[in-house]
Structure formats: structure tokens, C-alpha cells
């Protein structure tokens, strides 16, 4: 995963796409799976920064408030994902401010037919492995139209962290902790995108189910669910951002609560900026899930369930 190179490619690709006026309304992201997570990450970056809401839709229909002031960003690595294409077609009835991000497929044709800007991503990767190119392409593009999600220092910091990489041992020890266990990934609310990324990587690479829990909401329901859980071999990943010390007592409490039930790995994020934290955490998730796949003897690249689901989806879609 040479994500530092991908990040630079993403920034470059963004420069080549045609510009759109950003409008003044909310920003709507459409996309599924490894492409949809880009929207989650942008929402995390925008949360403490932009003066506009970022809403992520992982479904076939955009919300009813979409109008010509809404900026829509649709991400589909393959360019052929049914839900995302439908979402774009429906949003297009209300706004022309649509940026498409894809390596090709039907989405590229749509860009041509409707004269919409397209950020062209390098083809022939797995969507989830292209996270850095997809995310930096969007970050670079939004910055160029006045929507800054990360300062240039933060972008540099994050690329530096990607360049340094993560030692094999860290990923290995997490994989060992998760081996033959049911993983639960917990983070704070603002790092939800990262917890979801961990879950998705464990699902798709290691072929196991995983659950996400978010603090502080955790303390109002999940916590009770762990009082009398079904007897199963659980393991817990607790994502810890040392830059948010106000959450430390809550994370300590959660760690103690979980320790009664199974092993807990506390993952300390690196970096100052949100982008660095998201990328560091995603890189570790990727490496740990690949390690776990190899321990389990499963092929991380093949996602049979997704292919079958996409076939089933076609019969639910009147257009294709
Ligand atoms: C990730 C992956 C899936 C896809 C999802 C949507 O590697 O394979 O999660 O990202 O099925 O497909 P795309 O990204 O092509 O729109």
C-alpha cells in the first residue's frame, strides 16, 4: 500500500478536473463501500472546520432538500455501482453542481453525457486499496474551490506519516489479538469514519463480521449490552486520539468495561491534523486486516458476497 504516492497522484488528478462553483448549501456525498468511506472521512475533516454541513448518503436516493445550491460529490471507484449512479441521476434533476470521482465505467460516460467534471482515478486497483488516491483527490479539489478540509501543512504531515508507514509488528500483534474472535471497534463520535473503515477492512479483507461502537453514545446503550452478552469470543479495538485528552477518562472506562469480556487493543493515532489521524488509522486497519486474512488462510482480494449482491441489486433497479 504505497499510499503516500497515491496521495500525490490524487492531488494531481484533482487539478485536471473542470471546476464547479461550490454554491452555498450543504455538501452531499454519494458512494458505497470503499468509495463511500471517502464521504465519511470528508465529513470528519469538515466537522470542526467548514461552515457547511457534509451529509453522506449510502443509498440510491438523495434527500429531498437537494437543490441548485447543493454541491454533490459522487464517488465510485469502478464507476458502475448501482446505488451511486442512481443517486447521481436523481440529484441531477435538482442541481448541476456535481463532481464525479471514478476510475472509469458508467460514471465516466455520465460525466461526458452530462458535461460534469470528473476526477479520473488510476484504474485496476481494489476500491478499498485506492483510499488515499480517492480521498486526496477530493480534498485537493474541494480546496481548489475554496473549501479547505486540511491546511497544506496538514496535508504534508499526513503524507509524511504515510511515507514512514507502520511497522509490521504493530499490525501483526493486532491480527493475533483478533484471531478467531468477534471484533468490536470503538472510537469517539468524531472518529466514526475510522471505526467504520476498520469494520469494513475486517469484513472485506479478513472475511469476518465486526461491530462499531461510538463514545459517548456508547455510554447510553452499548455499555448495557455488554452486561450480559451472548457467550462468544469477543476482541476489542479501542481507537484513541491522544489529541483529545478530554475523552481519555471515557476511553479508560470503556477499556475497563471491555477487559472483562475479552482482549483490548488500544490504537493510538499519530499526527496533529485530522487527515493524518485518519490516514494513520486506516493504514493500520488495512495492514492488520491483511495480516489476519493471511493467518486465516483467506484471500483478501476476493469479495464474492459483494459481487453476488451487485447482481441481485440489478434486479431491484428498473434502469439496468
Ligand atoms: C472495496 C470494495 C467495495 C466497493 C463497493 C462500491 O474494495 O470492493 O466496498 O467499494 O462495492 O464499489 P465502487 O467503489 O466501485 O463504487
Amino acid at each position: 500500500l504505497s499510499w503516500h504516492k497515491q496521495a500525490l497522484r490524487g492531488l494531481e488528478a484533482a487539478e485536471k478536473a473542470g471546476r464547479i462553483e461550490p454554491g452555498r448549501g450543504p455538501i452531499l456525498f454519494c458512494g458505497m463501500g470503499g468509495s463511500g468511506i471517502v464521504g465519511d472521512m470528508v465529513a470528519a475533516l469538515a466537522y470542526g472546520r467548514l461552515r457547511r454541513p457534509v451529509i453522506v448518503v449510502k443509498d440510491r436516493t438523495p434527500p429531498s432538500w437537494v437543490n441548485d445550491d447543493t454541491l454533490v460529490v459522487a464517488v465510485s471507484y469502478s464507476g458502475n455501482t448501482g446505488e451511486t449512479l442512481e443517486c447521481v441521476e436523481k440529484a441531477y434533476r435538482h442541481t448541476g453542481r456535481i463532481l464525479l470521482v471514478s476510475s472509469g465505467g458508467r460514471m465516466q460516460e455520465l460525466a461526458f453525457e452530462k458535461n460534469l467534471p470528473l476526477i479520473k482515478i488510476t484504474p485496476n486497483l481494489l476500491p478499498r486499496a485506492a483510499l488515499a488516491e480517492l480521498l486526496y483527490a477530493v480534498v485537493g479539489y474541494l480546496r481548489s474551490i475554496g473549501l479547505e478540509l486540511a491546511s497544506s501543512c496538514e496535508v504534508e504531515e499526513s503524507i509524511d506519516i504515510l511515507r514512514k508507514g507502520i511497522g509490521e509488528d504493530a499490525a501483526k500483534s493486532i491480527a493475533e489479538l483478533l484471531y478467531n474472535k468477534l471484533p468490536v471497534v470503538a472510537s469517539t463520535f468524531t472518529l466514526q469514519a475510522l471505526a467504520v473503515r476498520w469494520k469494513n477492512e475486517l469484513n472485506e479483507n479478513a472475511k469476518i463480521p465486526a461491530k462499531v461502537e461510538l463514545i459517548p453514545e456508547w455510554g447510553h446503550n452499548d455499555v448495557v449490552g455488554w452486561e450480559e452478552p451472548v457467550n462468544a469470543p469477543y476482541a476489542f479495538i479501542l481507537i484513541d486520539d491522544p489529541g483529545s485528552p478530554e475523552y481519555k477518562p471515557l476511553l479508560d472506562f470503556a477499556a475497563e468495561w471491555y477487559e472483562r469480556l475479552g482482549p483490548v487493543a488500544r490504537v493510538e493515532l499519530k499526527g496533529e491534523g485530522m487527515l493524518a489521524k485518519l490516514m494513520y488509522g486506516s493504514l493500520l486497519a488495512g495492514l492488520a486486516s491483511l495480516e489476519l486474512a493471511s493467518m486465516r488462510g483467506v484471500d483478501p482480494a476476493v469479495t464474492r458476497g459483494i459481487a453476488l449482491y451487485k447482481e441481485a441489486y440489478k434486479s431491484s433497479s428498473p434502469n439496468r
Side-chain angles (χ1 to χ4, degrees), residues 32-35 75-79 81 126-128 204 303 306 310:
M32 307 301 295
S35 297
V75 187
S76 171
Y77 182 82
S78 64
T81 299
L126 293 173
R128 58 189 177 281
E204 293 179 59
T303 46
I306 295 177
K310 285 186 177 177

Side-chain angles (χ1 to χ4, degrees), residues 15-294:
E15 282 171 22
K16 295 186 196 133
R19 303 290 107 170
I20 14 177
E21 284 294 315
R24 299 167 63 92
I27 304 171
L28 176 72
F29 269 81
C30 309
M32 307 301 295
S35 297
I37 199 74
V38 173
D40 297 331
M41 294 204 170
V42 168
L45 291 166
Y47 194 78
R49 200 158 200 140
L50 285 195
R51 301 197 160 269
R52 304 166 56 158
V54 173
I55 307 293
V56 184
V57 168
K58 297 182 181 178
D59 202 347
R60 64 211 299 177
T61 305
S64 56
W65 47 253
V66 171
N67 64 23
D68 60 7
D69 224 14
T70 311
L71 173 64
V72 178
V73 181
V75 187
S76 171
Y77 182 82
S78 64
N80 291 323
T81 299
E83 293 94 330
T84 315
L85 291 169
E86 266 185 69
C87 210
V88 170
E89 276 164 22
K90 290 174 184 163
Y92 187 70
R93 295 177 199 154
H94 307 283
T95 179
R97 290 181 213 278
I98 303 184
L99 170 68
L100 304 175
V101 184
S102 182
S103 72
R106 175 73 193 120
M107 194 171 259
Q108 182 169 331
E109 291 168 15
L110 211 61
F112 187 70
E113 285 164 22
K114 301 204 187 306
N115 198 22
L116 297 172
L118 170 81
I119 304 183
K120 183 89 164 67
I121 301 296
T122 310
N124 303 323
L125 292 169
L126 293 173
R128 58 189 177 281
L131 173 68
E133 187 164 341
L134 292 168
L135 181 60
Y136 284 78
V138 172
V139 167
Y141 187 93
L142 291 182
R143 185 189 173 80
S144 77
I145 58 170
L147 299 167
E148 190 181 275
L149 297 165
S151 68
S152 40
C153 284
E154 285 170 321
V155 171
E156 267 172 44
E157 180 206 23
S158 66
I159 295 178
D160 236 39
I161 280 186
L162 290 177
R163 191 176 294 114
K164 285 193 192 108
I166 291 172
E168 231 177 68
D169 289 355
K172 218 176 193 150
S173 70
I174 293 178
E176 275 161 11
L177 182 121
L178 294 180
Y179 186 68
N180 272 341
K181 298 278 197 317
L182 285 170
V184 175
V185 186
S187 78
T188 55
F189 175 73
T190 44
L191 290 168
Q192 176 170 8
L194 195 49
V196 171
R197 175 71 182 182
W198 268 85
K199 180 197 82 67
N200 294 353
E201 290 284 77
L202 291 168
N203 296 152
E204 293 179 59
N205 291 336
K207 275 76 183 165
I208 50 172
K211 181 174 189 273
V212 168
E213 302 194 339
L214 300 174
I215 294 162
E217 175 66 3
W218 178 90
H220 302 269
N221 31 63
D222 300 275
V223 66
V224 185
W226 293 112
E227 285 180 16
E228 299 290 342
V230 174
N231 196 10
Y234 301 105
F236 302 87
I237 306 281
L238 192 55
I239 299 173
D240 187 348
D241 173 11
S244 300
E246 68 279 22
Y247 284 104
K248 189 176 176 303
L250 304 183
L251 294 185
D252 289 346
F253 178 80
E256 262 185 52
W257 201 255
Y258 287 146
E259 269 156 16
R260 296 181 296 116
L261 303 149
V264 180
R266 201 149 164 164
V267 169
E268 269 207 9
L269 298 180
K270 292 221 163 44
E272 293 283 318
M274 184 56 125
L275 186 57
K277 290 171 189 171
L278 292 173
M279 292 320 287
Y280 175 83
S282 299
L283 189 59
L284 185 57
L287 297 172
S289 60
L290 290 174
E291 196 66 48
L292 184 58
S294 125

